[in-house]
Amino acid sequence: MFKKILIANRGEIAVRIIRACRELGVSTVAVYSDADRRSLHVALADEAYHIGGSAPGESYLKKENVIDAARKSGAEAVHPGFGFLSENAEFAEMCEKAGIVFIGPTPEAIRLMGDKITARKIAYDAKVPLVPGSEGAVSDVEASVVAGEVGYPLMIKASAGGGGKGMRLVRSKEDFESALRMARSEARSAFGDESVYVERFVEQPRHIEIQLIADSYGNVLHLFERECSIQRRHQKVIEEAPSGFISAKTRKKMGDVAVKIAKAVKYKGAGTIEFIMDQKQNFYFLEMNTRVQVEHPVTEMITGFDIVKWMIRIAAGEKLPFKQGDIKMNGHAVECRVYAEDPGTNFMPSPGTIEYLSTPSGPGIRDDSAIYNGCEITSFYDPMLSKLIVWADTREAAIDKMASALREYIVLGVKTNIGFLRRVMADEEFRQCKIDTGYIERHPELISPGERDLRPALIAAAIAMENSTASGPQSQTAAASSWKLFARRSGIMRSPLA
Amino acid sequence: MFKKILIANRGEIAVRIIRACRELGVSTVAVYSDADRRSLHVALADEAYHIGGSAPGESYLKKENVIDAARKSGAEAVHPGFGFLSENAEFAEMCEKAGIVFIGPTPEAIRLMGDKITARKIAYDAKVPLVPGSEGAVSDVEASVVAGEVGYPLMIKASAGGGGKGMRLVRSKEDFESALRMARSEARSAFGDESVYVERFVEQPRHIEIQLIADSYGNVLHLFERECSIQRRHQKVIEEAPSGFISAKTRKKMGDVAVKIAKAVKYKGAGTIEFIMDQKQNFYFLEMNTRVQVEHPVTEMITGFDIVKWMIRIAAGEKLPFKQGDIKMNGHAVECRVYAEDPGTNFMPSPGTIEYLSTPSGPGIRDDSAIYNGCEITSFYDPMLSKLIVWADTREAAIDKMASALREYIVLGVKTNIGFLRRVMADEEFRQCKIDTGYIERHPELISPGERDLRPALIAAAIAMENSTASGPQSQTAAASSWKLFARRSGIMRSPLA
Amino acid sequence: MTYTFKLNDRIFKITLEESDGQIEVEIDGEKIPVDYKKIEDNLYSIILDGRSVTLGVFKKGKKIQVFLDGDLYDLESISEREQRKSSLAASGVQEIKAPMPSRVVKVLKSEGDEVKRDEGVVVIEAMKMESELKSPIAGKVRNVMAKEGDAIETGTVLMVVASDTPPAE
Amino acid sequence: MTYTFKLNDRIFKITLEESDGQIEVEIDGEKIPVDYKKIEDNLYSIILDGRSVTLGVFKKGKKIQVFLDGDLYDLESISEREQRKSSLAASGVQEIKAPMPSRVVKVLKSEGDEVKRDEGVVVIEAMKMESELKSPIAGKVRNVMAKEGDAIETGTVLMVVASDTPPAE
């Protein structure tokens, strides 16, 4: 095992990795930007080195600075976390050259899976399903042939496209010809290029992914799936393991093809194969993430397998002592990403200072975060405050637990999506697992709390005003006289205000 | 299921029960004493009622006040937690009479197991091993007969005894007669009564207990054992599940006899049979606790079984849907009780105000507590601040995780045993599971940190002094110039101070 | 003492009286006894007729953030005079400002364009996400300062919108 | 500025200098550059030559609690004069006081009894536990105020112990 590891990241994932290292008896080295001197990952690490300015490009993305810090501290390995340099093949190579172990796959594997076209080719060769359609641009004749193969509904998309221009959803054969004409014409006027391709339209798509772990000896295991269909702005908000939707048979099929892809590129370390799935459990390869994923904890909760620790062990040359059959699923885990954002204004980030923080705890509750009372959420980095993860024996119980845990979450100073998350947990469609990537857009009623009894808020505000004057009721004792008042009054507090 | 439950307790167990209720969709009613108006259980409950003065006898032990609050709030059931009224048969009866469900066993079962002599008789009838010895006082002749049966080493104890007077440890037959003479003479002069009894001396005893859960339909399951051998002042400090010491065979035997005892008294709800065990895995019945136990979380962590929720479900008339064979053990859990106490002065309680608090979190870590920044630890109640519980796949990994978690625990304002706990986690004997109830006394070197580099503490203290003057370095920026300084100096910080 | 709070477009009045160490509040003509205790500096516990409510409260000048049941409410304590003024805020001239350091991705409206209330007018990017800034009033775009690609600071005025009707007096 | 701290019986001197926004401290004649930042009000981060140390610090007047690596250190900032006085504290007359509201369970020493340093003299019970109070000095019991069964408050003097040797000057 390594003696010292540098964590080339910040925020909760840096903290997560530091904790894993400590438990393995490994010393930790943090790096930090100007904005992060007071950050928790610096406070928790054994050593800390400043690597530059607040903008990621001036620090966390500066490969040389990270390598310098590793050299200075004598770290034998670097864990890149996610984002920043985690999928940067060049950085992985620089580490190798500097004699520092990059905790992740080979630069070669990062490169292969980092290129979408190559990755699709690898998946295709491994007989992994891709969204059916034409490979690249097609003529009118080819288009109608492919359409016949793909079936309806399908999408016609401009090759040069983006932003919905030159894109047409076709629901039946009758509409195909006219839709193709319109798509070409729109593409021509929008991009000056009328080439289009044809692809099956996945209705109400779900995002389901397979967690992989592979050692350097050719052993590749999958740790079942995660469902990450609840998204806003194409970013995951709520993740679960296992999916409440797929069958054991589908699970096995997905796991098997995911392992195949990893074997095709001699993958090592932790990785994830992302799939899109329709409501009939047909699934199609999207991409591979060659790093640890934000939502890895839900997999850890249902398998008891510590993904981050195993990434480190594997990088240190250890062999996986398990076979696929040894990995068991138990219960259900849900993760909510708590963001500093305002759901009311299309989930716009809400940077600022955390003026007060109270986080949930108790049985089956895990809060992976790097925030604290008084910390600053700057606009330099991601606005994710914390990942709240719960485990319970069933999906229903896990959702109930999450709902209960969210009740203990209090954040002042920045807006958060906590209220929104609470409403999702109470929503019938979510509870029945009727979810897809359009869920949030389909449920604008969850954005705001609607009418509720605001009297406690007004009373609190009035007390705060009163307290700020000298004569206020600073800290009234729990007088026995409350008894009388309680007795005198009853049942008057039920009706919502206004 | 109940709609509303009153929690007749305070502190972390009240919070634990409130969380369980919330997850079950049950409204919660807190009760509080004068000293507890600001307590977390009041803040987290849906309703809260004041029940009297700060001393337990004026509030939490006042049966009528608790029942009044239940009536007033319309609670259908009362969860007593542990301590206070939890093993009070009369209170359970009063609840029954008031038409309120007491969440626990019948008053009858509480009474039977609450009386030591009756409990021993029940265990004896159920063929559960008792510490071998004479039942009551013996003559010289009887004594030597019993000694022959019991074997050596054995204890001669004064019937009227206490405080070690009239007590003799006998290691071999040759010493028996003279020891008996001396014990009688000591007993006579100390208590005016020379009666003695004879009992096997359990050397290096371990405290091992079996968790039970029983429904109202005669189903009794055991949830394996907990080892609670690390004690100070006869109070548990560190608990584990499973025991790192016993064999699967012993586990099964203990579980079986525990279930027998519970069946003998038609037990329902959660309960614990406590055993004393020698270093050869011989175990003897000590007593039964007819309530939830402080250390229940370690069992929850290795079984995934939520004991508190099941207590509630059982009281609501639900049937256990499991058979013994369905309950599986997985991994290892350790609990540390964090106390406000000073290990340096024989673990004397250290009441006061929590001036600052930082608690651990992350994968596999559970902190059951009711403390917060600014809360008061009064001398009215137990000085336990929190139960820190961890889970990992092996005992070794769990201890490493606990050691790592304890590093994140910071408490200012009151003295705690955190440093002591950290040293236990690092101790070789503890790590090798060479533990018994004399462990703490045997390891005075763990009490204080010994020599360490105190420079950071002195620097921090100096900065605090400087900051309290106007011109101090309030919040120095992480200047790039640090770089130069780091570069200029190296390797000078290694030697411990003085 | 009576306080007037503004929350979005709504005005609330609350009177707080203390006697015998007990607080009584009056809201909407109803008098309610309140058992109040500060748990921490920013955490209040209120017991109303047995019901226990715990709230986060952060006061900065006249602005008070209250965290109630998962949602953050931005209240503002206002005087009688401010109350009259505030009821006019929904008309008049409004500046669209950058809420944080960001980059202008797209300017959706040009000078003279009609805008509806809550219609998106500028798209900015910050923290790796695009956000749409909306017009708080219906009216016409009077000025456009934002240019696509601009790096902007908190408070930079990006656009000015004027309501169709001149502010009433 | 130079500070003198007392920790149990030991005295530490530390000099703190600030220049160019950088702190340099001198302990035991060694100068050390310190990169310091307050994380929260009571949480300090110190980086010494790359080593990151995070400490809890609570100051109340001249008493400073520092939480370092699991243990709480009670430091006291003292002046030169106090330093001289404090070196005599181990001798002289010492009062044994109740550290918290409690009950006297047992008085272990009588007037005139010899006591060793750190020998238990009174047993009290608080928070359901018995605790032994110890004599901070070796000497003779001069007065016994405590009576078994007494309910006592924080600070109640239970016993007075005088050292054998009269306080040096």
Side-chain angles (χ1 to χ4, degrees):
Chain A
M1 182 48 60
F2 308 111
K3 288 204 174 51
K4 198 185 272 188
I5 290 176
L6 182 142
I7 294 97
N9 216 303
R10 64 177 301 284
E12 62 85 22
I13 192 64
V15 169
R16 168 74 184 90
I17 298 165
I18 288 170
R19 286 173 176 152
C21 288
R22 275 199 319 221
E23 290 170 26
L24 292 169
V26 176
S27 283
T28 52
V29 181
V31 291
Y32 61 94
S33 69
D34 285 347
D36 274 341
R37 171 63 182 88
R38 286 168 68 222
S39 289
L40 211 55
H41 72 288
V42 174
L44 294 184
D46 298 311
E47 297 176 44
Y49 293 90
H50 178 251
I51 53 162
S54 298
E58 295 170 14
S59 48
Y60 300 109
L61 287 172
K62 278 222 162 175
K63 307 184 193 72
E64 322 75 46
N65 292 15
V66 174
I67 302 241
D68 272 2
R71 279 218 191 86
K72 200 164 297 169
S73 64
E76 302 155 75
V78 169
H79 197 307
F82 48 67
F84 296 136
L85 299 171
S86 62
E87 292 181 291
N88 190 310
E90 205 187 313
F91 177 67
E93 251 158 19
M94 282 173 69
C95 287
E96 250 178 34
K97 273 181 203 139
I100 298 161
V101 176
F102 175 83
I103 299 178
T106 59
E108 175 72 3
I110 297 175
R111 228 169 240 132
L112 286 172
M113 300 314 290
D115 181 73
K116 297 241 167 182
I117 306 287
T118 316
R120 262 178 82 89
K121 173 102 179 47
I122 290 165
Y124 182 81
D125 291 345
K127 301 200 169 42
V128 177
L130 302 171
V131 178
S134 61
E135 282 290 309
V138 281
S139 68
D140 283 7
V141 177
E142 286 166 340
S144 93
V145 173
V146 172
E149 288 163 15
V150 163
Y152 295 89
L154 57 74
M155 290 293 285
I156 306 173
K157 289 181 179 173
S159 300
K165 291 249 163 65
M167 197 185 274
R168 274 287 180 289
L169 169 61
V170 191
R171 294 220 166 256
S172 69
K173 202 179 167 196
E174 292 69 52
D175 301 335
F176 183 73
E177 250 182 84
S178 73
L180 181 63
R181 228 178 9 249
M182 283 192 290
R184 284 210 196 278
S185 126
E186 229 176 81
R188 199 183 315 120
S189 66
F191 314 112
D193 174 359
E194 62 164 32
S195 15
V196 295
Y197 63 97
V198 173
E199 202 177 75
R200 177 175 297 168
F201 174 65
V202 179
E203 278 191 282
Q204 293 186 277
R206 305 175 85 111
H207 178 109
I208 298 189
E209 59 191 29
I210 297 285
Q211 174 68 53
L212 294 171
I213 189 88
D215 64 19
S216 321
Y217 308 93
N219 301 303
V220 185
L221 304 178
H222 73 82
L223 305 175
F224 311 109
E225 82 284 5
R226 293 187 285 261
E227 168 143 21
C228 318
S229 298
I230 308 287
Q231 308 186 347
R232 57 118 187 73
R233 303 161 168 276
H234 302 289
Q235 242 190 341
K236 299 161 186 171
V237 180
I238 299 171
E239 297 105 338
E240 302 177 52
S243 163
F245 175 66
I246 71 172
S247 67
K249 203 175 137 194
T250 306
R251 175 171 299 124
K252 185 171 178 337
K253 257 202 278 181
M254 294 180 84
D256 288 348
V257 301
V259 167
K260 253 197 233 166
I261 295 176
K263 286 196 167 162
V265 294
K266 298 200 183 0
Y267 198 80
K268 74 166 197 250
T272 300
I273 312 280
E274 297 194 327
F275 296 96
I276 183 172
M277 182 180 278
D278 68 18
Q279 297 292 327
K280 286 173 185 157
Q281 300 193 33
N282 296 307
F283 58 88
Y284 310 105
F285 173 80
L286 274 183
E287 61 171 340
M288 177 169 194
N289 292 320
T290 57
R291 49 164 170 88
V292 68
Q293 212 129 332
V294 177
E295 60 271 25
H296 74 277
V298 288
T299 300
E300 296 185 327
M301 302 294 270
I302 61 158
T303 59
F305 186 97
D306 191 314
I307 293 170
V308 176
K309 274 195 205 165
W310 273 106
M311 289 179 79
I312 297 168
R313 290 195 184 113
I314 285 166
E318 283 188 39
K319 207 168 165 169
L320 281 167
F322 316 102
K323 300 265 163 251
Q324 187 64 54
D326 298 329
I327 311 287
K328 304 273 185 226
M329 243 169 43
N330 180 25
H332 197 95
V334 177
E335 170 177 293
C336 281
R337 302 192 190 184
V338 177
Y339 283 106
E341 66 184 16
D342 181 3
T345 56
N346 197 21
F347 301 96
M348 174 147 52
S350 169
T353 301
I354 304 281
E355 301 290 352
Y356 176 76
L357 176 68
S358 173
T359 54
S361 64
I365 289 166
R366 166 176 171 187
D367 188 38
D368 275 22
S369 96
I371 60 169
Y372 54 86
N373 246 320
C375 83
E376 279 215 48
I377 310 303
T378 73
S379 52
F380 293 113
Y381 313 112
D382 192 87
M384 190 171 78
L385 297 179
S386 134
K387 300 180 324 202
L388 181 62
I389 306 122
V390 304
W391 179 92
D393 47 0
T394 63
R395 183 172 189 269
E396 196 193 351
I399 293 172
D400 287 339
K401 190 178 277 286
M402 178 60 83
S404 169
L406 285 167
R407 285 179 61 175
E408 292 184 28
Y409 226 123
I410 301 180
V411 179
L412 289 169
V414 301
K415 294 217 181 236
T416 68
N417 60 342
I418 293 169
F420 169 76
L421 294 167
R422 287 177 62 163
R423 288 182 284 277
V424 173
M425 293 302 131
D427 176 60
E428 258 319 297
E429 273 193 26
F430 176 74
R431 296 183 70 89
Q432 289 173 19
C433 205
K434 289 181 182 159
I435 54 176
D436 57 72
T437 58
Y439 173 86
I440 291 183
E441 273 171 41
R442 211 164 53 237
H443 287 283
E445 80 282 2
L446 303 175
I447 296 301
S448 79
E451 286 303 322
R452 64 159 57 135
D453 184 356
L454 291 176
R455 284 178 304 187
L458 297 171
I459 292 167
I463 292 169
M465 289 299 293
E466 194 98 350
N467 275 355
S468 66
T469 71
S471 61
Q474 277 304 333
S475 186
Q476 178 215 344
T477 53
S481 62
S482 313
W483 270 108
K484 293 177 216 145
L485 287 162
F486 293 155
R488 228 172 55 212
R489 311 184 60 91
S490 68
I492 60 162
M493 300 301 299
R494 304 302 166 219
S495 65
L497 184 76
Chain B
M1 183 46 62
F2 307 112
K3 287 202 175 54
K4 198 185 273 187
I5 291 176
L6 182 142
I7 295 97
N9 216 304
R10 64 176 302 283
E12 64 84 22
I13 192 62
V15 169
R16 168 74 183 90
I17 298 165
I18 289 170
R19 286 173 176 151
C21 288
R22 277 200 317 223
E23 290 170 27
L24 292 169
V26 176
S27 283
T28 52
V29 181
V31 291
Y32 60 94
S33 70
D34 284 347
D36 274 341
R37 172 63 182 88
R38 287 167 69 224
S39 290
L40 212 56
H41 72 287
V42 175
L44 293 183
D46 297 311
E47 297 176 42
Y49 293 89
H50 177 252
I51 53 162
S54 298
E58 296 170 14
S59 47
Y60 299 109
L61 287 172
K62 279 222 161 174
K63 306 185 195 74
E64 322 74 44
N65 293 13
V66 175
I67 301 234
D68 271 2
R71 279 218 191 88
K72 201 163 298 172
S73 64
E76 302 155 72
V78 169
H79 196 307
F82 47 67
F84 297 133
L85 299 170
S86 63
E87 293 181 290
N88 189 308
E90 205 186 313
F91 177 68
E93 252 158 18
M94 283 173 70
C95 286
E96 250 178 33
K97 273 182 201 139
I100 297 161
V101 176
F102 176 83
I103 299 177
T106 59
E108 175 71 6
I110 297 175
R111 224 167 245 134
L112 287 172
M113 300 313 292
D115 180 75
K116 296 240 169 182
I117 306 285
T118 316
R120 262 178 83 89
K121 172 98 179 46
I122 290 166
Y124 181 81
D125 291 345
K127 302 198 167 43
V128 176
L130 302 171
V131 177
S134 61
E135 282 289 310
V138 281
S139 69
D140 283 6
V141 177
E142 285 167 339
S144 92
V145 172
V146 172
E149 287 163 13
V150 163
Y152 295 88
L154 57 74
M155 291 294 284
I156 305 173
K157 290 181 179 174
S159 299
K165 292 248 164 62
M167 198 185 274
R168 275 285 180 288
L169 169 60
V170 192
R171 294 218 166 259
S172 69
K173 201 178 169 196
E174 292 69 54
D175 302 335
F176 184 74
E177 251 181 85
S178 72
L180 182 63
R181 226 175 14 247
M182 283 192 290
R184 283 208 196 278
S185 125
E186 230 176 79
R188 199 182 314 116
S189 67
F191 316 110
D193 175 0
E194 62 163 31
S195 17
V196 296
Y197 63 97
V198 172
E199 201 177 75
R200 175 173 300 167
F201 174 64
V202 180
E203 278 192 282
Q204 293 187 277
R206 305 174 85 111
H207 176 109
I208 298 190
E209 60 191 30
I210 297 284
Q211 173 70 51
L212 294 170
I213 188 88
D215 65 19
S216 323
Y217 307 93
N219 300 302
V220 185
L221 304 178
H222 73 83
L223 304 176
F224 312 109
E225 82 284 4
R226 293 185 286 260
E227 168 142 22
C228 319
S229 298
I230 307 287
Q231 308 186 346
R232 57 120 187 70
R233 303 161 168 276
H234 302 289
Q235 241 189 344
K236 298 161 187 171
V237 179
I238 298 171
E239 297 106 339
E240 301 177 53
S243 163
F245 175 66
I246 71 173
S247 67
K249 203 175 136 193
T250 305
R251 175 170 299 123
K252 187 174 176 337
K253 257 201 280 180
M254 294 180 84
D256 287 349
V257 301
V259 167
K260 254 198 234 164
I261 295 176
K263 285 195 168 164
V265 294
K266 297 197 184 0
Y267 198 80
K268 74 168 198 251
T272 300
I273 312 281
E274 296 194 328
F275 297 96
I276 184 171
M277 181 180 279
D278 69 18
Q279 297 292 327
K280 286 175 186 152
Q281 301 192 31
N282 295 307
F283 58 90
Y284 310 105
F285 173 79
L286 276 183
E287 62 171 340
M288 177 169 195
N289 291 321
T290 57
R291 50 163 170 88
V292 68
Q293 212 129 332
V294 177
E295 60 272 25
H296 75 277
V298 288
T299 300
E300 295 185 327
M301 301 295 269
I302 62 157
T303 59
F305 187 97
D306 191 312
I307 293 171
V308 176
K309 274 195 206 167
W310 273 107
M311 289 179 79
I312 297 168
R313 289 195 186 113
I314 286 167
E318 283 188 39
K319 207 167 164 170
L320 281 167
F322 315 102
K323 301 264 161 250
Q324 187 64 54
D326 298 330
I327 311 287
K328 305 273 185 225
M329 244 170 42
N330 180 26
H332 197 95
V334 177
E335 171 178 292
C336 281
R337 301 190 189 188
V338 177
Y339 282 106
E341 66 183 16
D342 182 4
T345 56
N346 196 21
F347 300 96
M348 174 147 50
S350 170
T353 301
I354 304 280
E355 300 290 353
Y356 177 77
L357 175 69
S358 174
T359 53
S361 64
I365 289 165
R366 166 176 170 185
D367 187 38
D368 274 22
S369 95
I371 59 169
Y372 54 86
N373 246 321
C375 83
E376 278 213 49
I377 310 304
T378 73
S379 51
F380 293 113
Y381 314 112
D382 192 87
M384 190 172 76
L385 297 179
S386 135
K387 300 178 327 201
L388 182 61
I389 306 121
V390 304
W391 179 92
D393 47 0
T394 64
R395 183 172 189 269
E396 196 194 351
I399 294 171
D400 287 340
K401 191 178 276 288
M402 179 60 83
S404 169
L406 285 167
R407 286 179 61 175
E408 292 185 28
Y409 225 123
I410 301 180
V411 179
L412 289 168
V414 300
K415 293 215 182 240
T416 68
N417 61 341
I418 294 168
F420 170 75
L421 294 168
R422 286 178 62 163
R423 288 182 283 278
V424 173
M425 292 303 130
D427 175 60
E428 258 319 297
E429 272 193 27
F430 176 74
R431 297 183 69 89
Q432 288 173 20
C433 206
K434 290 182 183 158
I435 54 177
D436 57 70
T437 58
Y439 173 87
I440 290 182
E441 272 170 41
R442 208 161 58 235
H443 288 283
E445 81 282 3
L446 303 175
I447 296 300
S448 79
E451 286 303 322
R452 64 158 59 135
D453 184 356
L454 290 176
R455 285 177 302 184
L458 297 171
I459 293 168
I463 292 170
M465 290 299 294
E466 194 97 352
N467 275 355
S468 66
T469 70
S471 63
Q474 277 302 333
S475 185
Q476 177 214 345
T477 53
S481 62
S482 315
W483 269 108
K484 293 177 216 144
L485 289 161
F486 292 155
R488 229 171 56 210
R489 312 181 60 93
S490 67
I492 59 164
M493 300 302 297
R494 304 301 167 220
S495 63
L497 185 78
Chain C
M1 177 93 190
T2 297
Y3 299 96
T4 306
F5 294 109
K6 200 181 130 204
L7 172 64
N8 301 327
D9 296 343
R10 293 159 73 185
I11 300 291
F12 298 94
K13 268 193 200 320
I14 173 169
T15 302
L16 201 141
E17 265 168 41
E18 202 191 350
S19 64
D20 298 339
Q22 192 68 26
I23 300 179
E24 193 170 61
V25 300
E26 188 177 331
I27 308 178
D28 285 352
E30 191 184 16
K31 288 194 175 180
I32 311 164
V34 175
D35 184 35
Y36 149 76
K37 198 96 177 175
K38 195 185 267 193
I39 301 179
E40 297 183 56
D41 268 352
N42 294 100
L43 195 66
Y44 291 14
S45 166
I46 289 173
I47 301 182
L48 298 168
D49 189 32
R51 188 164 63 123
S52 172
V53 184
T54 306
L55 310 92
V57 181
F58 172 60
K59 179 177 174 300
K60 199 173 182 182
K62 304 189 136 203
K63 308 236 176 186
I64 300 160
Q65 284 189 342
V66 179
F67 189 95
L68 171 66
D69 274 348
D71 296 286
L72 195 67
Y73 293 89
D74 280 308
L75 297 161
E76 194 179 344
S77 168
I78 56 173
S79 64
E80 288 288 320
R81 215 172 61 90
E82 288 166 326
Q83 187 185 337
R84 277 195 304 277
K85 242 175 65 191
S86 105
S87 63
L88 305 175
S91 63
V93 177
Q94 290 286 313
E95 294 177 334
I96 315 295
K97 291 178 186 172
M100 71 193 81
S102 43
R103 201 175 55 78
V104 176
V105 173
K106 214 169 168 62
V107 179
L108 304 171
K109 296 284 169 182
S110 313
E111 228 171 279
D113 280 3
E114 293 276 344
V115 292
K116 289 184 219 123
R117 186 177 164 167
D118 281 339
E119 190 179 352
V121 290
V122 179
V123 179
I124 60 166
E125 190 204 311
M127 301 170 99
K128 294 194 290 175
M129 281 193 223
E130 295 193 357
S131 310
E132 218 177 59
L133 304 181
K134 292 167 180 174
S135 172
I137 54 167
K140 260 205 182 78
V141 176
R142 184 181 283 182
N143 286 99
V144 177
M145 290 82 160
K147 271 198 297 289
E148 287 172 19
D150 279 5
I152 50 178
E153 290 306 310
T154 306
T156 305
V157 178
L158 307 176
M159 194 178 276
V160 178
V161 179
S163 72
D164 305 317
T165 51
E169 206 42 63
Chain D
M1 177 94 190
T2 297
Y3 299 97
T4 306
F5 294 109
K6 199 181 131 204
L7 172 64
N8 302 327
D9 296 343
R10 293 158 73 185
I11 300 291
F12 299 93
K13 267 194 201 320
I14 172 169
T15 302
L16 200 139
E17 263 168 45
E18 200 190 352
S19 65
D20 298 338
Q22 194 66 28
I23 300 179
E24 193 171 62
V25 300
E26 188 176 331
I27 307 178
D28 285 349
E30 190 185 17
K31 287 195 176 180
I32 310 163
V34 175
D35 183 34
Y36 148 75
K37 198 96 178 174
K38 195 185 268 191
I39 301 179
E40 296 184 56
D41 268 353
N42 294 100
L43 194 67
Y44 291 12
S45 166
I46 289 173
I47 302 182
L48 299 167
D49 190 34
R51 188 164 63 123
S52 171
V53 184
T54 305
L55 310 94
V57 181
F58 172 60
K59 179 178 174 298
K60 200 173 181 180
K62 302 186 140 207
K63 309 237 175 185
I64 299 160
Q65 285 190 342
V66 179
F67 188 95
L68 172 66
D69 275 347
D71 296 288
L72 194 68
Y73 293 90
D74 281 309
L75 297 161
E76 193 178 344
S77 170
I78 56 173
S79 65
E80 287 288 321
R81 215 171 62 89
E82 289 166 325
Q83 187 185 336
R84 278 195 306 276
K85 242 174 66 191
S86 105
S87 64
L88 304 176
S91 61
V93 177
Q94 289 286 312
E95 295 177 333
I96 316 293
K97 291 178 186 172
M100 70 192 84
S102 42
R103 203 176 52 81
V104 176
V105 174
K106 213 170 170 63
V107 179
L108 303 173
K109 295 284 170 184
S110 312
E111 230 172 276
D113 280 2
E114 295 275 345
V115 291
K116 289 187 216 114
R117 184 177 164 168
D118 282 338
E119 191 178 352
V121 291
V122 179
V123 179
I124 60 166
E125 189 204 313
M127 299 170 100
K128 294 193 288 176
M129 282 192 222
E130 294 193 357
S131 310
E132 217 176 62
L133 303 181
K134 293 167 179 175
S135 171
I137 54 170
K140 260 204 181 80
V141 175
R142 183 181 284 183
N143 287 99
V144 177
M145 290 82 160
K147 272 199 297 290
E148 287 174 20
D150 278 5
I152 49 177
E153 290 305 310
T154 307
T156 305
V157 178
L158 307 176
M159 194 178 277
V160 179
V161 180
S163 71
D164 305 320
T165 51
E169 205 41 59

